[in-house]
Amino acid sequence: MNERLQQVTKDFGDTATASAHTFATSFQTIASAHADFAKKLMQHNSEFMSQLSSVKEPAKLIEVQSEYVKSAYETFVAESKRLAELYANLFKQTTKPFEDLIAKNKAA
């Protein structure tokens, strides 16, 4: 019984360490994705302002603004989906070691 408790304690510690490592790696990936998204937004806004400053006609102004809004929306949706997938993977990968441990202990 004492050996079993020691093994379970060791397994739990190993699992927590593996989960924490996975969390840190995944979190770093997510932080990079957020930074990339912010960089894209800044670049997109800068390009828009540059285009906007060269517009001379009201019709062209509406066209440039419409293109900007459409592009901004599409970028936001795509990046939101990508970030949601990264967060879902973070949760799955972080909890997987614990699921494996539970399955192992049920089998024992």
Side-chain angles (χ1 to χ4, degrees):
M1 173 83 171
N2 191 20
E3 290 177 16
R4 175 77 178 129
L5 181 60
Q6 287 176 344
Q7 185 61 42
V8 168
T9 302
K10 181 186 178 310
D11 289 347
F12 183 78
D14 292 345
T15 300
T17 300
S19 181
H21 182 267
T22 300
F23 178 83
T25 303
S26 295
F27 191 76
Q28 188 174 21
T29 301
I30 291 169
S32 293
H34 278 288
D36 290 345
F37 182 45
K39 184 178 175 183
K40 283 180 188 178
L41 286 177
M42 294 295 290
Q43 183 177 5
H44 189 245
N45 290 341
S46 176
E47 291 169 2
F48 171 66
M49 294 305 288
S50 177
Q51 287 178 340
L52 201 57
S53 67
S54 67
V55 172
K56 305 285 188 232
E57 304 167 15
K60 183 68 176 172
L61 175 68
I62 293 171
E63 180 185 328
V64 169
Q65 287 178 323
S66 295
E67 289 173 8
Y68 170 77
V69 169
K70 180 183 176 192
S71 177
Y73 174 75
E74 289 171 351
T75 301
F76 174 76
V77 169
E79 290 296 319
S80 295
K81 286 180 181 179
R82 186 171 77 107
L83 289 169
E85 289 172 2
L86 289 173
Y87 279 107
N89 286 337
L90 166 70
F91 179 75
K92 288 177 191 173
Q93 292 174 356
T94 303
T95 58
K96 179 145 179 35
F98 291 104
E99 291 171 4
D100 294 344
L101 179 64
I102 291 168
K104 177 183 171 184
N105 284 320
K106 280 185 179 180

